[in-house]
Amino acid sequence: MTMGEKANFHGRKILLGVTGGISVYKSAELVREFIRRGAEVSVVMTENATRFITPLTMESLSRNPVGLDMFSLTDERTMGHIDRAKWADLFIVAPATANYLAKAACGIADDLLTTISLVARCPVAVAPAMNTNMWSHPTVQDNIRTLEERGVKIIPPGEGELACGDKGKGRLADLDIIIKAAQELLYGACDMSGLSVLVTAGPTRESMDPVRFISNPSSGKMGYAIAEAARGRGAVVTLISGPTSLKDPDGIETIRVVTAEEMLAAARDHIEANQWLIMTAAVADYRPVKRSTRKTKKDGKKKITLEMESNPDILMELATAKGDRLYVGFAAESESLEDNARKKLLSKGLDLIVANDITERDSGFEKDENRATLLGREGYVERFPLMSKLELAHRILDHSSVLWRAAAKNG
Ligand code: PMT
């Protein structure tokens, strides 16, 4: 499987610029691929591009209004040119004609696409496509060099038979190559490629009878974000999920469990095959001693007493399997956030712990955003502001990767 085939762009925003050339039909395919891999895509077309393919096609595939005209009030109202450029995590122009490259190199902004090219501050890539003589022309090559020197990623054209009948270099790079370049720009050089990561997410449920259980408000969002971020960076991910309403993420083996004991059993089954363990799950510490197979009758009782016993601590149980694996835990705290999290970091033998203050109203359980503090064994502390769970997931993975590489170097 190539890196491009594994690439995942879940939650990432890609702005695709399309200029006029015969390979525009491949841009339509590119939009589909980006969408299939979870990206949100917005397309901007030059007037010449619309001669080869209709904006309607691009709009249907991208499920977003297509940007065409600088001076269209409708376009500017849906997403103005400045907003469109700021919105994007990645800006790719494919195909990029010789004309576009020349304008981009000189800073000419005479239409929507070239104007956006000057506004965009996210990573930018161009995939040129043109006749082979045009491609090798010194002017085009100078423009390519200029753009490259300014940090634009050039996705070189492929070689072969061109639409005009000539043979040589000039046809749009294969989609797989473009996707791989997009992945590298978004995530670095797929820094988790070759790694296997086990992630737990969501709550556990501990039943007292067929209709009643003890649980907590974990939605699974944080754990799923970590699993998806790791997959996007090239890792092979296994997700053990408690009951959540989230759907199994594409390309991730997802094991559904209900109780802490089931989560432990699944984690035991999978720990050997994984190099990292990230325990995001909010595991119930206690479970009812008795689990009735029949619904408990009310029978007029005003009070009932529920006897509880402790569940196994999954991280503690997996301590013997740690070896040189990287273990990351989470801590849900309502007081003394960093002190309590540090105690858990040390007592559970973790490399890192992510501490959440669950008393905050805008983060933690169920929310789309989280605010967390990352604590490491050697006193490392990093306090993250409120951010999306996906962004936080990437920050956690960034630091985990640093630790992992340092351990590999020293060991
Ligand atoms: O799912 P979301 O709605 O997105 O919410 C995310 C979250 C708030 C659940 C998440 O960010 C979080 O904080 N998860 C940890 C919750 C928790 O159980 O914390 P804890 O402090 O009780 O446990 C500390 C660590 O031990 C955790 O890594 C936990 O998975 C692990 N643990 C806990 C109990 C147990 N029996 N076995 C364990 O392995």
Side-chain angles (χ1 to χ4, degrees), residues 200-203 216-224 244 246 260 263 278-286 311-317 328-333 340-341 344 348 350 353-358 363-370 372 389 392:
T200 66
N216 60 65
S218 171
S219 61
K221 287 178 187 172
M222 190 66 239
Y224 281 55
T244 72
L246 304 177
M263 190 171 275
I278 306 185
M279 277 290 299
T280 315
V283 185
D285 287 320
Y286 293 93
N311 260 329
D313 188 297
I314 299 174
L315 280 172
M316 295 286 208
E317 295 286 334
V328 181
F330 271 68
E333 303 296 339
N340 284 338
K344 286 178 186 168
K348 297 190 185 223
L350 305 170
I353 197 156
V354 185
N356 295 168
D357 180 346
I358 50 162
S363 66
F365 286 118
E366 292 177 301
K367 300 285 182 306
D368 291 330
E369 296 186 311
N370 210 358
K389 284 184 173 169
L392 179 62

Tab-separated table of all heavy atoms in Angstrom, residues 200-203 216-224 244 246 260 263 278-286 311-317 328-333 340-341 344 348 350 353-358 363-370 372 389 392, ligand 1:
chain	number	residue	atom	x	y	z
A	200	THR	N	-7.744	3.752	23.137
A	200	THR	CA	-9.046	3.437	23.734
A	200	THR	C	-9.851	4.729	23.815
A	200	THR	O	-9.291	5.808	23.956
A	200	THR	CB	-8.910	2.846	25.149
A	200	THR	OG1	-8.377	3.845	26.017
A	200	THR	CG2	-8.036	1.602	25.154
A	201	ALA	N	-11.173	4.588	23.714
A	201	ALA	CA	-12.017	5.794	23.691
A	201	ALA	C	-13.373	5.503	24.306
A	201	ALA	O	-13.809	4.349	24.373
A	201	ALA	CB	-12.201	6.248	22.241
A	202	GLY	N	-14.021	6.593	24.706
A	202	GLY	CA	-15.402	6.476	25.185
A	202	GLY	C	-15.489	5.996	26.621
A	202	GLY	O	-14.484	5.787	27.289
A	203	PRO	N	-16.728	5.807	27.083
A	203	PRO	CA	-16.935	5.353	28.456
A	203	PRO	C	-16.980	3.823	28.525
A	203	PRO	O	-16.912	3.162	27.485
A	203	PRO	CB	-18.332	5.902	28.755
A	203	PRO	CG	-19.031	5.778	27.420
A	203	PRO	CD	-17.993	5.986	26.354
A	216	ASN	N	-20.474	7.228	32.453
A	216	ASN	CA	-20.072	8.644	32.547
A	216	ASN	C	-20.323	9.302	31.194
A	216	ASN	O	-20.639	8.611	30.220
A	216	ASN	CB	-18.591	8.729	32.979
A	216	ASN	CG	-17.695	8.028	31.984
A	216	ASN	OD1	-17.583	8.440	30.840
A	216	ASN	ND2	-17.065	6.930	32.405
A	217	PRO	N	-20.179	10.622	31.102
A	217	PRO	CA	-20.612	11.301	29.866
A	217	PRO	C	-19.614	11.241	28.704
A	217	PRO	O	-19.804	11.959	27.713
A	217	PRO	CB	-20.777	12.764	30.297
A	217	PRO	CG	-20.474	12.830	31.754
A	217	PRO	CD	-19.762	11.584	32.127
A	218	SER	N	-18.578	10.439	28.769
A	218	SER	CA	-17.602	10.433	27.666
A	218	SER	C	-18.295	10.095	26.341
A	218	SER	O	-19.019	9.108	26.237
A	218	SER	CB	-16.496	9.413	27.967
A	218	SER	OG	-15.689	9.260	26.815
A	219	SER	N	-18.017	10.932	25.338
A	219	SER	CA	-18.643	10.743	24.017
A	219	SER	C	-17.758	9.935	23.075
A	219	SER	O	-18.193	9.515	22.009
A	219	SER	CB	-18.869	12.116	23.381
A	219	SER	OG	-17.602	12.761	23.210
A	220	GLY	N	-16.490	9.804	23.443
A	220	GLY	CA	-15.526	9.138	22.558
A	220	GLY	C	-14.819	10.103	21.621
A	220	GLY	O	-13.868	9.730	20.931
A	221	LYS	N	-15.263	11.378	21.575
A	221	LYS	CA	-14.721	12.319	20.562
A	221	LYS	C	-13.202	12.482	20.678
A	221	LYS	O	-12.500	12.528	19.675
A	221	LYS	CB	-15.386	13.688	20.704
A	221	LYS	CG	-16.825	13.721	20.224
A	221	LYS	CD	-17.432	15.105	20.455
A	221	LYS	CE	-18.918	15.092	20.140
A	221	LYS	NZ	-19.569	16.354	20.528
A	222	MET	N	-12.706	12.580	21.911
A	222	MET	CA	-11.262	12.805	22.087
A	222	MET	C	-10.471	11.597	21.567
A	222	MET	O	-9.495	11.742	20.827
A	222	MET	CB	-10.970	13.055	23.581
A	222	MET	CG	-9.569	13.526	23.873
A	222	MET	SD	-9.212	15.162	23.188
A	222	MET	CE	-7.837	14.786	22.133
A	223	GLY	N	-10.906	10.409	21.953
A	223	GLY	CA	-10.186	9.196	21.543
A	223	GLY	C	-10.261	8.965	20.041
A	223	GLY	O	-9.272	8.584	19.403
A	224	TYR	N	-11.445	9.211	19.463
A	224	TYR	CA	-11.586	9.025	18.017
A	224	TYR	C	-10.715	10.039	17.277
A	224	TYR	O	-10.144	9.730	16.228
A	224	TYR	CB	-13.050	9.167	17.586
A	224	TYR	CG	-13.909	7.941	17.838
A	224	TYR	CD1	-14.002	7.379	19.105
A	224	TYR	CD2	-14.633	7.333	16.822
A	224	TYR	CE1	-14.796	6.264	19.355
A	224	TYR	CE2	-15.437	6.213	17.049
A	224	TYR	CZ	-15.515	5.688	18.318
A	224	TYR	OH	-16.289	4.582	18.552
A	244	THR	N	-20.457	4.406	22.149
A	244	THR	CA	-20.554	5.807	21.711
A	244	THR	C	-21.502	5.852	20.523
A	244	THR	O	-21.796	4.820	19.918
A	244	THR	CB	-19.197	6.376	21.222
A	244	THR	OG1	-18.889	5.780	19.960
A	244	THR	CG2	-18.072	6.134	22.196
A	246	LEU	N	-20.622	7.465	17.864
A	246	LEU	CA	-19.757	7.764	16.712
A	246	LEU	C	-19.640	6.525	15.834
A	246	LEU	O	-19.643	5.394	16.333
A	246	LEU	CB	-18.373	8.186	17.202
A	246	LEU	CG	-18.335	9.363	18.176
A	246	LEU	CD1	-16.922	9.638	18.657
A	246	LEU	CD2	-18.912	10.611	17.503
A	260	ALA	N	-15.620	-2.409	31.501
A	260	ALA	CA	-14.170	-2.251	31.737
A	260	ALA	C	-13.461	-3.601	31.529
A	260	ALA	O	-12.360	-3.646	30.971
A	260	ALA	CB	-13.934	-1.746	33.155
A	263	MET	N	-13.015	-4.134	27.964
A	263	MET	CA	-11.978	-3.239	27.421
A	263	MET	C	-10.590	-3.784	27.777
A	263	MET	O	-9.676	-3.792	26.940
A	263	MET	CB	-12.161	-1.818	27.946
A	263	MET	CG	-11.268	-0.826	27.238
A	263	MET	SD	-11.628	0.890	27.640
A	263	MET	CE	-12.938	1.270	26.497
A	278	ILE	N	-2.573	4.600	23.761
A	278	ILE	CA	-3.095	5.904	24.196
A	278	ILE	C	-4.466	5.668	24.833
A	278	ILE	O	-5.432	5.321	24.155
A	278	ILE	CB	-3.177	6.910	23.024
A	278	ILE	CG1	-1.794	7.014	22.340
A	278	ILE	CG2	-3.635	8.276	23.532
A	278	ILE	CD1	-1.678	8.049	21.244
A	279	MET	N	-4.511	5.799	26.158
A	279	MET	CA	-5.725	5.461	26.924
A	279	MET	C	-6.555	6.713	27.171
A	279	MET	O	-6.382	7.416	28.153
A	279	MET	CB	-5.337	4.870	28.289
A	279	MET	CG	-5.002	3.404	28.309
A	279	MET	SD	-6.372	2.252	28.044
A	279	MET	CE	-7.455	2.590	29.392
A	280	THR	N	-7.445	6.972	26.241
A	280	THR	CA	-8.332	8.129	26.376
A	280	THR	C	-9.625	7.748	27.080
A	280	THR	O	-10.369	8.605	27.566
A	280	THR	CB	-8.679	8.675	24.970
A	280	THR	OG1	-7.485	8.717	24.213
A	280	THR	CG2	-9.249	10.060	25.029
A	281	ALA	N	-9.911	6.456	27.111
A	281	ALA	CA	-11.208	5.985	27.622
A	281	ALA	C	-11.433	6.411	29.067
A	281	ALA	O	-10.505	6.460	29.871
A	281	ALA	CB	-11.287	4.464	27.514
A	282	ALA	N	-12.691	6.733	29.352
A	282	ALA	CA	-13.103	7.040	30.727
A	282	ALA	C	-13.668	5.733	31.298
A	282	ALA	O	-14.865	5.442	31.159
A	282	ALA	CB	-14.136	8.149	30.718
A	283	VAL	N	-12.772	4.973	31.877
A	283	VAL	CA	-13.145	3.625	32.354
A	283	VAL	C	-13.816	3.766	33.726
A	283	VAL	O	-13.289	4.462	34.605
A	283	VAL	CB	-11.878	2.745	32.493
A	283	VAL	CG1	-12.252	1.315	32.859
A	283	VAL	CG2	-11.039	2.789	31.220
A	284	ALA	N	-14.935	3.080	33.900
A	284	ALA	CA	-15.613	3.135	35.215
A	284	ALA	C	-14.736	2.426	36.243
A	284	ALA	O	-14.304	1.294	36.021
A	284	ALA	CB	-16.971	2.455	35.106
A	285	ASP	N	-14.466	3.114	37.342
A	285	ASP	CA	-13.593	2.512	38.360
A	285	ASP	C	-14.305	1.419	39.139
A	285	ASP	O	-13.665	0.521	39.689
A	285	ASP	CB	-13.104	3.603	39.327
A	285	ASP	CG	-12.061	4.494	38.664
A	285	ASP	OD1	-11.215	3.948	37.934
A	285	ASP	OD2	-12.118	5.720	38.850
A	286	TYR	N	-15.642	1.508	39.230
A	286	TYR	CA	-16.410	0.522	40.003
A	286	TYR	C	-17.531	-0.061	39.163
A	286	TYR	O	-18.001	0.565	38.217
A	286	TYR	CB	-16.997	1.188	41.252
A	286	TYR	CG	-15.922	1.599	42.236
A	286	TYR	CD1	-15.381	2.885	42.195
A	286	TYR	CD2	-15.435	0.685	43.175
A	286	TYR	CE1	-14.377	3.256	43.070
A	286	TYR	CE2	-14.432	1.063	44.060
A	286	TYR	CZ	-13.898	2.342	44.002
A	286	TYR	OH	-12.897	2.699	44.857
A	311	ASN	N	-13.260	-2.121	39.517
A	311	ASN	CA	-12.904	-2.697	38.213
A	311	ASN	C	-11.388	-2.816	38.141
A	311	ASN	O	-10.677	-2.096	38.850
A	311	ASN	CB	-13.369	-1.750	37.100
A	311	ASN	CG	-14.675	-2.186	36.476
A	311	ASN	OD1	-14.965	-3.386	36.405
A	311	ASN	ND2	-15.457	-1.231	36.037
A	312	PRO	N	-10.893	-3.664	37.269
A	312	PRO	CA	-9.432	-3.660	37.088
A	312	PRO	C	-8.992	-2.315	36.510
A	312	PRO	O	-9.746	-1.685	35.757
A	312	PRO	CB	-9.204	-4.782	36.060
A	312	PRO	CG	-10.522	-4.992	35.391
A	312	PRO	CD	-11.577	-4.602	36.377
A	313	ASP	N	-7.806	-1.882	36.890
A	313	ASP	CA	-7.238	-0.683	36.272
A	313	ASP	C	-6.466	-1.157	35.030
A	313	ASP	O	-5.469	-1.888	35.141
A	313	ASP	CB	-6.298	0.038	37.248
A	313	ASP	CG	-5.855	1.372	36.683
A	313	ASP	OD1	-5.172	1.383	35.626
A	313	ASP	OD2	-6.200	2.395	37.278
A	314	ILE	N	-6.944	-0.754	33.869
A	314	ILE	CA	-6.404	-1.301	32.609
A	314	ILE	C	-4.933	-0.942	32.443
A	314	ILE	O	-4.097	-1.793	32.104
A	314	ILE	CB	-7.260	-0.827	31.404
A	314	ILE	CG1	-8.690	-1.342	31.575
A	314	ILE	CG2	-6.654	-1.292	30.087
A	314	ILE	CD1	-9.683	-0.852	30.550
A	315	LEU	N	-4.597	0.318	32.722
A	315	LEU	CA	-3.193	0.730	32.579
A	315	LEU	C	-2.286	-0.058	33.520
A	315	LEU	O	-1.200	-0.499	33.132
A	315	LEU	CB	-3.051	2.230	32.830
A	315	LEU	CG	-3.431	3.122	31.645
A	315	LEU	CD1	-3.451	4.585	32.059
A	315	LEU	CD2	-2.458	2.925	30.469
A	316	MET	N	-2.764	-0.257	34.749
A	316	MET	CA	-1.961	-1.024	35.725
A	316	MET	C	-1.787	-2.470	35.239
A	316	MET	O	-0.713	-3.044	35.328
A	316	MET	CB	-2.649	-1.044	37.089
A	316	MET	CG	-2.767	0.311	37.738
A	316	MET	SD	-1.192	0.864	38.379
A	316	MET	CE	-1.730	1.905	39.710
A	317	GLU	N	-2.881	-3.026	34.730
A	317	GLU	CA	-2.839	-4.424	34.265
A	317	GLU	C	-1.876	-4.592	33.082
A	317	GLU	O	-1.292	-5.648	32.895
A	317	GLU	CB	-4.241	-4.894	33.830
A	317	GLU	CG	-5.276	-4.955	34.946
A	317	GLU	CD	-5.074	-6.129	35.893
A	317	GLU	OE1	-4.502	-7.142	35.462
A	317	GLU	OE2	-5.480	-6.003	37.069
A	328	VAL	N	0.565	6.513	26.856
A	328	VAL	CA	0.022	7.849	27.131
A	328	VAL	C	-1.326	7.675	27.819
A	328	VAL	O	-2.191	6.953	27.323
A	328	VAL	CB	-0.173	8.662	25.821
A	328	VAL	CG1	-0.721	10.050	26.123
A	328	VAL	CG2	1.135	8.750	25.041
A	329	GLY	N	-1.485	8.316	28.971
A	329	GLY	CA	-2.771	8.253	29.673
A	329	GLY	C	-3.444	9.605	29.656
A	329	GLY	O	-2.844	10.616	29.270
A	330	PHE	N	-4.692	9.616	30.065
A	330	PHE	CA	-5.428	10.868	30.245
A	330	PHE	C	-5.829	10.941	31.711
A	330	PHE	O	-5.943	9.908	32.368
A	330	PHE	CB	-6.694	10.876	29.367
A	330	PHE	CG	-6.446	11.428	27.990
A	330	PHE	CD1	-5.658	10.738	27.082
A	330	PHE	CD2	-7.012	12.634	27.598
A	330	PHE	CE1	-5.421	11.253	25.804
A	330	PHE	CE2	-6.795	13.149	26.330
A	330	PHE	CZ	-5.999	12.471	25.442
A	331	ALA	N	-6.045	12.143	32.206
A	331	ALA	CA	-6.544	12.284	33.571
A	331	ALA	C	-7.698	13.267	33.553
A	331	ALA	O	-7.564	14.375	33.044
A	331	ALA	CB	-5.434	12.791	34.483
A	332	ALA	N	-8.834	12.829	34.072
A	332	ALA	CA	-9.987	13.720	34.191
A	332	ALA	C	-10.031	14.176	35.641
A	332	ALA	O	-10.285	13.367	36.540
A	332	ALA	CB	-11.258	12.971	33.808
A	333	GLU	N	-9.748	15.448	35.874
A	333	GLU	CA	-9.605	15.942	37.249
A	333	GLU	C	-10.578	17.080	37.538
A	333	GLU	O	-10.850	17.901	36.659
A	333	GLU	CB	-8.176	16.452	37.494
A	333	GLU	CG	-7.078	15.444	37.240
A	333	GLU	CD	-7.142	14.236	38.179
A	333	GLU	OE1	-7.760	14.331	39.253
A	333	GLU	OE2	-6.575	13.186	37.806
A	340	ASN	N	-2.567	15.997	40.689
A	340	ASN	CA	-3.241	14.694	40.590
A	340	ASN	C	-2.838	13.952	39.320
A	340	ASN	O	-2.643	12.734	39.329
A	340	ASN	CB	-4.757	14.871	40.633
A	340	ASN	CG	-5.245	15.163	42.037
A	340	ASN	OD1	-4.552	14.844	43.015
A	340	ASN	ND2	-6.398	15.783	42.152
A	341	ALA	N	-2.713	14.720	38.222
A	341	ALA	CA	-2.332	14.074	36.960
A	341	ALA	C	-0.919	13.500	37.081
A	341	ALA	O	-0.642	12.389	36.617
A	341	ALA	CB	-2.416	15.074	35.822
A	344	LYS	N	-0.876	10.237	38.810
A	344	LYS	CA	-1.335	9.139	37.927
A	344	LYS	C	-0.251	8.760	36.926
A	344	LYS	O	-0.045	7.591	36.619
A	344	LYS	CB	-2.624	9.535	37.202
A	344	LYS	CG	-3.832	9.516	38.122
A	344	LYS	CD	-5.114	9.944	37.421
A	344	LYS	CE	-6.246	10.027	38.458
A	344	LYS	NZ	-7.447	10.678	37.974
A	348	LYS	N	0.946	4.985	37.352
A	348	LYS	CA	0.531	4.082	36.276
A	348	LYS	C	1.674	3.809	35.298
A	348	LYS	O	1.471	3.175	34.260
A	348	LYS	CB	-0.695	4.645	35.553
A	348	LYS	CG	-1.925	4.760	36.482
A	348	LYS	CD	-3.195	5.094	35.732
A	348	LYS	CE	-4.349	5.307	36.709
A	348	LYS	NZ	-5.603	4.680	36.288
A	350	LEU	N	3.362	5.771	33.213
A	350	LEU	CA	3.148	6.326	31.866
A	350	LEU	C	4.330	7.171	31.423
A	350	LEU	O	5.110	7.658	32.244
A	350	LEU	CB	1.882	7.191	31.869
A	350	LEU	CG	0.607	6.503	32.354
A	350	LEU	CD1	-0.519	7.508	32.534
A	350	LEU	CD2	0.199	5.436	31.346
A	353	ILE	N	1.042	12.135	30.293
A	353	ILE	CA	-0.376	12.154	30.670
A	353	ILE	C	-0.991	13.474	30.214
A	353	ILE	O	-0.324	14.517	30.233
A	353	ILE	CB	-0.591	11.889	32.183
A	353	ILE	CG1	-2.045	11.504	32.455
A	353	ILE	CG2	-0.163	13.079	33.037
A	353	ILE	CD1	-2.241	10.693	33.727
A	354	VAL	N	-2.227	13.390	29.766
A	354	VAL	CA	-2.951	14.572	29.291
A	354	VAL	C	-4.013	14.879	30.338
A	354	VAL	O	-4.933	14.083	30.537
A	354	VAL	CB	-3.620	14.297	27.923
A	354	VAL	CG1	-4.271	15.560	27.384
A	354	VAL	CG2	-2.628	13.712	26.942
A	355	ALA	N	-3.866	16.020	31.009
A	355	ALA	CA	-4.777	16.334	32.109
A	355	ALA	C	-5.896	17.250	31.640
A	355	ALA	O	-5.645	18.277	31.014
A	355	ALA	CB	-3.994	17.007	33.239
A	356	ASN	N	-7.137	16.848	31.957
A	356	ASN	CA	-8.323	17.676	31.636
A	356	ASN	C	-8.943	18.169	32.929
A	356	ASN	O	-9.160	17.358	33.825
A	356	ASN	CB	-9.452	16.846	31.000
A	356	ASN	CG	-9.113	16.272	29.668
A	356	ASN	OD1	-9.820	15.439	29.162
A	356	ASN	ND2	-8.036	16.706	29.097
A	357	ASP	N	-9.282	19.443	32.955
A	357	ASP	CA	-10.065	19.956	34.080
A	357	ASP	C	-11.536	19.788	33.701
A	357	ASP	O	-12.054	20.535	32.861
A	357	ASP	CB	-9.716	21.437	34.299
A	357	ASP	CG	-10.495	22.027	35.460
A	357	ASP	OD1	-11.469	21.400	35.907
A	357	ASP	OD2	-10.120	23.123	35.902
A	358	ILE	N	-12.195	18.805	34.306
A	358	ILE	CA	-13.572	18.500	33.866
A	358	ILE	C	-14.613	19.447	34.472
A	358	ILE	O	-15.801	19.308	34.203
A	358	ILE	CB	-13.953	17.026	34.164
A	358	ILE	CG1	-13.636	16.683	35.612
A	358	ILE	CG2	-13.277	16.082	33.199
A	358	ILE	CD1	-14.348	15.449	36.091
A	363	SER	N	-15.022	22.603	27.725
A	363	SER	CA	-14.077	21.572	27.258
A	363	SER	C	-14.314	20.265	27.999
A	363	SER	O	-15.153	20.188	28.899
A	363	SER	CB	-12.637	22.043	27.484
A	363	SER	OG	-12.376	22.151	28.856
A	364	GLY	N	-13.566	19.238	27.612
A	364	GLY	CA	-13.660	17.938	28.297
A	364	GLY	C	-14.762	17.070	27.732
A	364	GLY	O	-14.956	16.992	26.518
A	365	PHE	N	-15.493	16.401	28.637
A	365	PHE	CA	-16.542	15.466	28.231
A	365	PHE	C	-17.496	16.049	27.195
A	365	PHE	O	-17.995	17.179	27.377
A	365	PHE	CB	-17.402	15.071	29.441
A	365	PHE	CG	-16.732	14.123	30.392
A	365	PHE	CD1	-16.488	14.486	31.714
A	365	PHE	CD2	-16.361	12.855	29.989
A	365	PHE	CE1	-15.888	13.608	32.604
A	365	PHE	CE2	-15.760	11.959	30.868
A	365	PHE	CZ	-15.514	12.333	32.184
A	366	GLU	N	-17.759	15.328	26.182
A	366	GLU	CA	-18.803	15.574	25.159
A	366	GLU	C	-18.546	16.752	24.216
A	366	GLU	O	-19.110	16.798	23.135
A	366	GLU	CB	-20.182	15.801	25.825
A	366	GLU	CG	-20.715	14.555	26.493
A	366	GLU	CD	-22.030	14.799	27.195
A	366	GLU	OE1	-22.040	15.660	28.098
A	366	GLU	OE2	-23.007	14.138	26.843
A	367	LYS	N	-17.724	17.704	24.612
A	367	LYS	CA	-17.531	18.904	23.795
A	367	LYS	C	-16.671	18.589	22.558
A	367	LYS	O	-15.963	17.593	22.519
A	367	LYS	CB	-16.830	20.003	24.616
A	367	LYS	CG	-17.605	20.426	25.850
A	367	LYS	CD	-18.778	21.292	25.441
A	367	LYS	CE	-19.596	21.813	26.595
A	367	LYS	NZ	-20.102	20.841	27.538
A	368	ASP	N	-16.753	19.481	21.538
A	368	ASP	CA	-15.910	19.302	20.351
A	368	ASP	C	-14.514	19.852	20.587
A	368	ASP	O	-13.594	19.600	19.827
A	368	ASP	CB	-16.526	20.029	19.141
A	368	ASP	CG	-17.804	19.347	18.691
A	368	ASP	OD1	-17.909	18.121	18.873
A	368	ASP	OD2	-18.705	20.048	18.192
A	369	GLU	N	-14.383	20.647	21.644
A	369	GLU	CA	-13.074	21.250	21.935
A	369	GLU	C	-12.579	20.795	23.297
A	369	GLU	O	-13.361	20.311	24.121
A	369	GLU	CB	-13.200	22.773	21.904
A	369	GLU	CG	-13.582	23.289	20.526
A	369	GLU	CD	-13.555	24.796	20.448
A	369	GLU	OE1	-14.133	25.438	21.340
A	369	GLU	OE2	-12.938	25.326	19.504
A	370	ASN	N	-11.308	20.957	23.491
A	370	ASN	CA	-10.718	20.548	24.769
A	370	ASN	C	-9.572	21.489	25.121
A	370	ASN	O	-8.931	22.050	24.240
A	370	ASN	CB	-10.213	19.106	24.667
A	370	ASN	CG	-10.262	18.378	25.995
A	370	ASN	OD1	-10.640	18.965	27.017
A	370	ASN	ND2	-9.884	17.115	25.999
A	372	ALA	N	-6.195	21.291	27.606
A	372	ALA	CA	-5.506	20.243	28.361
A	372	ALA	C	-4.080	20.635	28.699
A	372	ALA	O	-3.503	21.547	28.099
A	372	ALA	CB	-5.499	18.951	27.545
A	389	LYS	N	-10.651	19.080	19.329
A	389	LYS	CA	-10.064	17.824	19.819
A	389	LYS	C	-9.091	17.246	18.791
A	389	LYS	O	-8.088	16.628	19.161
A	389	LYS	CB	-11.170	16.828	20.203
A	389	LYS	CG	-11.809	17.215	21.534
A	389	LYS	CD	-12.845	16.255	22.062
A	389	LYS	CE	-13.241	16.703	23.486
A	389	LYS	NZ	-14.408	16.026	24.037
A	392	LEU	N	-5.851	19.161	19.218
A	392	LEU	CA	-5.180	18.703	20.450
A	392	LEU	C	-4.560	17.323	20.212
A	392	LEU	O	-3.443	17.042	20.648
A	392	LEU	CB	-6.182	18.656	21.610
A	392	LEU	CG	-5.621	18.166	22.935
A	392	LEU	CD1	-4.505	19.074	23.450
A	392	LEU	CD2	-6.717	18.053	23.999
B	1	PMT	O1	-14.872	11.177	25.240
B	1	PMT	P1	-14.980	12.695	25.278
B	1	PMT	O2	-16.408	13.152	25.474
B	1	PMT	O3	-14.337	13.345	24.084
B	1	PMT	O4	-14.229	13.211	26.586
B	1	PMT	C1	-12.835	13.080	26.666
B	1	PMT	C2	-12.401	12.701	28.087
B	1	PMT	C3	-12.740	13.836	29.049
B	1	PMT	C4	-13.076	11.403	28.515
B	1	PMT	C5	-10.871	12.456	27.999
B	1	PMT	O5	-10.244	13.623	27.568
B	1	PMT	C6	-10.292	12.021	29.338
B	1	PMT	O6	-9.951	12.831	30.174
B	1	PMT	N1	-10.153	10.663	29.514
B	1	PMT	C7	-9.702	10.059	30.765
B	1	PMT	C8	-10.850	9.870	31.685
B	1	PMT	C9	-10.468	9.066	32.910
B	1	PMT	O7	-10.950	7.997	33.111
B	1	PMT	O8	-9.563	9.630	33.683
B	1	PMT	P2	-9.010	8.965	35.076
B	1	PMT	O9	-8.283	10.084	35.684
B	1	PMT	O10	-10.128	8.332	35.802
B	1	PMT	O11	-8.022	7.823	34.595
B	1	PMT	C10	-6.627	8.036	34.373
B	1	PMT	C11	-6.131	7.108	33.289
B	1	PMT	O12	-6.286	5.749	33.713
B	1	PMT	C12	-6.889	7.226	31.979
B	1	PMT	O13	-5.975	7.125	30.924
B	1	PMT	C13	-7.837	6.029	31.998
B	1	PMT	O14	-8.126	5.575	30.689
B	1	PMT	C14	-7.054	5.012	32.780
B	1	PMT	N2	-7.894	4.071	33.554
B	1	PMT	C15	-8.810	4.531	34.434
B	1	PMT	C16	-9.566	3.626	35.157
B	1	PMT	C17	-9.358	2.259	34.959
B	1	PMT	N3	-10.083	1.362	35.617
B	1	PMT	N4	-8.445	1.828	34.093
B	1	PMT	C18	-7.685	2.717	33.410
B	1	PMT	O15	-6.819	2.318	32.621
